[in-house]
Amino acid sequence: MANIKEIAKLAGVSISTVSRVLNDHPYVSDEKRARVLETMKQLKYARNMNAVHLITGKTKSAAIMLPIINHAYFSALMEGIGGEALANHYRLVLCQTGYEQDKEREVLEMLRNREIDGIIILSTATPLEQIEEYCRYGPIVCCLEAGKRAFSSIFIDHSRAFRAAMEYLVAKGHRHIGFTVGRMDGPSSRARLEAYREVLSELGEPLREEWIIDGCVDMEDGAAIMKQLAAMSKRPSAMLVTGDHAAAGMLWEAGKLGISVPEQLAIIGFDNQPISGLLGLTTIDNRLMDMGAEAFRILFNHIQEPDQEPVQREVDFMFIERTSV
Amino acid sequence: MANIKEIAKLAGVSISTVSRVLNDHPYVSDEKRARVLETMKQLKYARNMNAVHLITGKTKSAAIMLPIINHAYFSALMEGIGGEALANHYRLVLCQTGYEQDKEREVLEMLRNREIDGIIILSTATPLEQIEEYCRYGPIVCCLEAGKRAFSSIFIDHSRAFRAAMEYLVAKGHRHIGFTVGRMDGPSSRARLEAYREVLSELGEPLREEWIIDGCVDMEDGAAIMKQLAAMSKRPSAMLVTGDHAAAGMLWEAGKLGISVPEQLAIIGFDNQPISGLLGLTTIDNRLMDMGAEAFRILFNHIQEPDQEPVQREVDFMFIERTSV
DNA sequence: TTGTAAGCGTTATCAG
DNA sequence: CTGATAACGCTTACAA
């Protein structure tokens, strides 16, 4: 395959001139530019980007670290990231980790090995201190609340969002409230639990372990949990659910079990996914697409101007009132 | 940052020996290997993969070309691809094209520019002849029926699947059948239309243009189309719907409009997504995750052994009978 | 405006 | 088993 050298020889110019044409540099005469372009076409020249990556030290690509691809939450974030990456001619490398720490480390190592210019972390099981160690190799942006760190983060205040939802339920007369999370040891789950404890103690209600349900991720989990709730001798009158798809599963299963929503069980979802609009699910919009897009913008900015201070950007959530409470 | 040369100097060996250690080559004495490894740790050595990519001519990464990230159909395919890529230590570059041909061309150009070792195309708007031109630069696998081509493909027989669904409906007494597609000019839509025509003419039923509905992609489209159907003076007694999420949208909207399923309208979905199990939707399982995984395997095989003949692999679909017909 | 030449950090070849 | 040395294909001072 033809390379820059052959083009130069055939066009009767120097290698640098060819390179200049390739990079749209000024200071190359129209005549030579035309000649170079012509020979490129003749020889079907294709630039070897790996050589460019090597010499420039950049790859114009960023990794997305996420536990699982096939989930609406991550899809929505990715959609936002993807749009912005496209606009800036950046490639996105999809890194599915399944929350395995060695897989997650491999992604971080990619940064060290200059395979990518930066990383966007959607969710992780690796301790944040360990992630910070990689900041020296390139920018990292986390889509979760991480406090003041060496990397940037973008997030909604889960504690406040959860509180808002709780207070809404309380105002509607609920005192027996349960909630589900996807992974109890995640940071947003911890924030929710804390908010839950606070509101409960303000209400003077005891904390019932069986109303805190872990491992609620997708629609099928939601349905299973609804069955579980139905079998309880004393069940909550309202549930705050991990995400809208899980909530949709609960809603559907409730219908099958003859439990009416919101009369017998109020449900609040999360994420404002399309399905929630369709089902009339009250939910909290955390603006996933915007968040993804902004995450990429922050990363891109760090790549363009290194040595900038990391940022902690909070995204406002919105309470979407519909008919499931 | 330390490079192989510095390691060599400090360890008191040659560059080649360091490279051999790096690549787990035999013929390196334990003593030197240990010394190299030790200095690598001291200097926090990180390999520059771009140099490796340049000299080896491989990047161990493949592109996924798809129109939109945030859709269950593509998510399921990607999940399958992602698992297999992970197992083979391959990176996946996500290329969202929105069915824009110039964006799609950029992905193909990545192959020419050696940025990637191969491409998996999930859906495309580019004429297949144009895609074939890029096969000289590296392997391409399409997840759609493409006939005998220079690239490999993996697919289900949409024509046969559609026919099976039609015949099932006919056996249940339906004669007024409509269908939706996502994009009328896609190959699977054409296959469906053809099968539709055939069965209709066998039945002696006229083809009613208004019962063929284009642009039905997601849940919200399904809901909107249900409204549209409800407003028809004469509507079909059964619908074959693009995908399960769209079908779910129809189902939900039907409930709101007081149209009972399957009594007043039978619905068959597509893809056997989790939502269809939950809603009791009769559907056709086209085994998206398996298809994605197999697509990667075919690609990987082509990468490992170039100059192999392209394959056309058909995946069997399964008719999943539930309660929406 | 153009050309020369020095890298970028590896792997591959080939001779010891 | 080990080590020079030549690629890989490009960008970028620097000099003209």
Side-chain angles (χ1 to χ4, degrees):
Chain A
M1 291 212 199
N3 58 21
I4 209 180
K5 209 164 149 189
E6 293 180 49
I7 302 291
K9 201 193 297 177
L10 249 87
V13 299
S14 74
I15 292 182
S16 9
T17 300
V18 179
S19 175
R20 287 189 188 104
V21 172
L22 234 29
N23 294 289
D24 283 323
H25 274 290
Y27 302 137
V28 43
S29 67
D30 289 349
E31 184 239 333
K32 295 209 170 178
R33 163 167 282 123
R35 223 156 66 208
V36 168
L37 254 19
E38 177 54 30
T39 34
M40 278 183 179
K41 201 183 294 178
Q42 272 179 20
L43 269 65
K44 290 179 189 295
Y45 170 76
R47 198 195 211 141
N48 186 327
M49 291 310 289
N50 294 315
V52 178
H53 295 161
L54 172 59
I55 193 129
T56 59
K58 283 202 187 291
T59 57
K60 300 253 279 178
S61 60
I64 303 185
M65 184 198 289
L66 81 179
I68 174 174
I69 296 170
N70 192 4
H71 189 287
Y73 176 84
F74 297 115
S75 293
L77 277 171
M78 278 199 283
E79 183 83 15
I81 299 169
E84 205 62 22
L86 197 64
N88 292 288
H89 294 280
Y90 251 72
R91 321 245 177 259
L92 256 20
V93 182
L94 205 57
C95 301
Q96 184 174 8
T97 64
Y99 283 127
E100 291 175 46
Q101 290 201 33
D102 54 337
K103 299 265 188 300
E104 298 190 342
R105 179 160 300 265
E106 268 185 52
V107 181
L108 295 165
E109 285 290 326
M110 286 171 68
L111 192 58
R112 208 161 90 93
N113 297 337
R114 284 89 146 193
E115 286 187 77
I116 47 172
D117 297 344
I119 304 179
I120 297 178
I121 297 179
L122 304 192
S123 186
T124 176
T126 302
L128 301 182
E129 298 74 38
Q130 286 181 37
I131 293 174
E132 281 185 295
E133 289 169 22
Y134 284 84
C135 289
R136 52 159 73 186
Y137 305 115
I140 298 176
V141 176
C142 278
C143 292
L144 41 86
E145 187 158 6
K148 186 92 185 123
R149 295 278 176 183
F151 52 81
S152 289
S153 53
I154 179 162
F155 53 88
I156 71 156
D157 186 333
H158 282 275
S159 174
R160 210 154 54 79
F162 194 88
R163 241 196 117 90
M166 287 280 279
E167 282 163 2
Y168 177 80
L169 289 172
V170 170
K172 289 271 188 176
H174 293 279
R175 297 181 67 85
H176 297 159
I177 303 171
F179 75 102
T180 75
V181 295
R183 228 169 36 103
M184 207 59 230
D185 49 346
S188 73
S189 299
R190 279 199 297 272
R192 290 180 195 199
L193 179 60
E194 207 178 315
Y196 184 69
R197 283 220 168 87
E198 282 172 24
V199 179
L200 241 45
S201 78
E202 287 166 20
L203 282 176
E205 286 287 333
L207 185 146
R208 293 181 179 81
E209 290 287 354
E210 70 273 23
W211 289 357
I212 303 175
I213 301 175
D214 197 4
C216 177
V217 176
D218 57 29
M219 209 175 288
E220 289 152 308
D221 297 332
I225 286 163
M226 190 64 239
K227 283 191 190 129
Q228 191 179 324
L229 288 174
M232 285 182 184
S233 55
K234 182 163 179 58
R235 67 162 186 261
S237 69
M239 287 294 292
L240 285 162
V241 186
T242 324
D244 288 332
H245 283 259
M250 289 188 61
L251 200 60
W252 187 263
E253 194 63 36
K256 284 212 265 188
L257 295 167
I259 295 173
S260 65
V261 175
E263 293 76 12
Q264 295 175 269
L265 181 71
I267 296 177
I268 295 184
F270 224 89
D271 297 348
N272 195 23
Q273 297 275 5
I275 198 171
S276 68
L278 200 69
L279 307 191
L281 205 56
T282 293
T283 188
I284 290 170
D285 187 351
N286 46 5
R287 320 245 306 281
L288 293 175
M289 292 211 4
D290 292 348
M291 197 160 148
E294 181 68 9
F296 184 85
R297 264 179 247 123
I298 294 172
L299 187 77
F300 187 71
N301 195 44
H302 281 312
I303 292 171
Q304 299 302 310
E305 318 197 16
D307 312 319
Q308 290 234 344
E309 285 299 300
V311 301
Q312 280 79 45
R313 184 111 74 236
E314 186 179 331
V315 175
D316 273 335
F317 62 87
M318 287 189 318
F319 194 83
I320 311 283
E321 192 171 3
R322 288 198 272 248
T323 57
S324 64
V325 176
Chain B
M1 291 211 199
N3 59 19
I4 209 179
K5 209 163 148 188
E6 293 180 49
I7 302 290
K9 201 193 299 179
L10 250 88
V13 299
S14 74
I15 292 182
S16 344
T17 300
V18 179
S19 177
R20 287 190 186 102
V21 172
L22 232 29
N23 294 287
D24 282 324
H25 274 289
Y27 304 138
V28 173
S29 66
D30 290 348
E31 183 240 331
K32 293 207 170 176
R33 163 166 282 122
R35 222 157 66 209
V36 168
L37 253 20
E38 177 53 32
T39 36
M40 277 183 180
K41 201 184 293 177
Q42 273 178 21
L43 269 65
K44 289 181 190 294
Y45 169 75
R47 198 194 210 139
N48 186 328
M49 291 311 290
N50 294 316
V52 179
H53 294 161
L54 172 58
I55 192 115
T56 60
K58 282 200 187 294
T59 57
K60 298 254 280 177
S61 60
I64 302 185
M65 185 200 287
L66 81 179
I68 174 174
I69 294 170
N70 192 3
H71 190 286
Y73 176 84
F74 298 114
S75 293
L77 276 172
M78 278 199 283
E79 184 84 15
I81 299 169
E84 205 63 22
L86 196 64
N88 291 288
H89 294 281
Y90 251 73
R91 321 247 177 259
L92 256 20
V93 182
L94 206 55
C95 302
Q96 183 173 11
T97 64
Y99 283 127
E100 289 174 48
Q101 289 202 32
D102 54 337
K103 299 266 189 301
E104 299 191 341
R105 179 159 302 264
E106 269 185 51
V107 183
L108 295 165
E109 286 290 326
M110 286 171 69
L111 190 58
R112 209 161 88 93
N113 296 338
R114 285 88 148 193
E115 285 187 78
I116 46 173
D117 298 344
I119 304 179
I120 297 179
I121 298 179
L122 304 191
S123 186
T124 175
T126 303
L128 301 182
E129 298 74 39
Q130 287 182 35
I131 292 174
E132 281 185 295
E133 288 169 23
Y134 284 85
C135 289
R136 51 159 73 186
Y137 305 116
I140 298 176
V141 176
C142 278
C143 292
L144 41 86
E145 188 159 5
K148 186 91 185 122
R149 295 279 176 181
F151 52 80
S152 289
S153 53
I154 179 163
F155 53 88
I156 71 155
D157 186 333
H158 281 275
S159 173
R160 209 153 56 78
F162 194 88
R163 243 195 115 90
M166 286 281 279
E167 282 162 3
Y168 177 80
L169 289 173
V170 171
K172 289 270 188 176
H174 293 278
R175 297 181 65 84
H176 298 159
I177 303 170
F179 76 102
T180 76
V181 294
R183 229 170 34 103
M184 206 61 231
D185 49 346
S188 72
S189 300
R190 279 198 297 273
R192 290 181 195 200
L193 180 59
E194 207 178 316
Y196 184 70
R197 282 220 168 88
E198 282 172 24
V199 178
L200 241 45
S201 78
E202 287 166 20
L203 282 176
E205 285 287 335
L207 186 147
R208 293 183 179 80
E209 290 287 354
E210 70 273 21
W211 290 357
I212 302 176
I213 301 174
D214 197 5
C216 176
V217 176
D218 57 29
M219 209 174 288
E220 288 152 310
D221 297 331
I225 286 164
M226 189 65 240
K227 282 191 192 132
Q228 191 180 322
L229 288 174
M232 286 182 183
S233 55
K234 181 164 180 58
R235 67 163 186 260
S237 69
M239 287 295 292
L240 284 162
V241 185
T242 324
D244 288 332
H245 284 258
M250 288 188 61
L251 200 61
W252 188 264
E253 193 63 35
K256 284 211 266 188
L257 295 167
I259 295 174
S260 66
V261 175
E263 293 77 12
Q264 294 175 269
L265 181 71
I267 296 177
I268 296 184
F270 224 91
D271 297 348
N272 194 23
Q273 296 274 6
I275 199 173
S276 68
L278 201 70
L279 306 191
L281 204 55
T282 294
T283 188
I284 291 171
D285 186 350
N286 47 5
R287 320 246 305 281
L288 293 176
M289 290 210 6
D290 291 348
M291 197 159 147
E294 181 66 9
F296 184 85
R297 265 179 246 122
I298 294 172
L299 188 78
F300 187 70
N301 196 42
H302 282 311
I303 292 172
Q304 299 301 308
E305 318 197 17
D307 311 320
Q308 290 233 344
E309 286 298 300
V311 302
Q312 280 79 46
R313 182 111 74 238
E314 187 180 329
V315 175
D316 273 336
F317 61 88
M318 288 190 317
F319 194 83
I320 311 282
E321 193 172 1
R322 288 198 271 246
T323 57
S324 64
V325 175

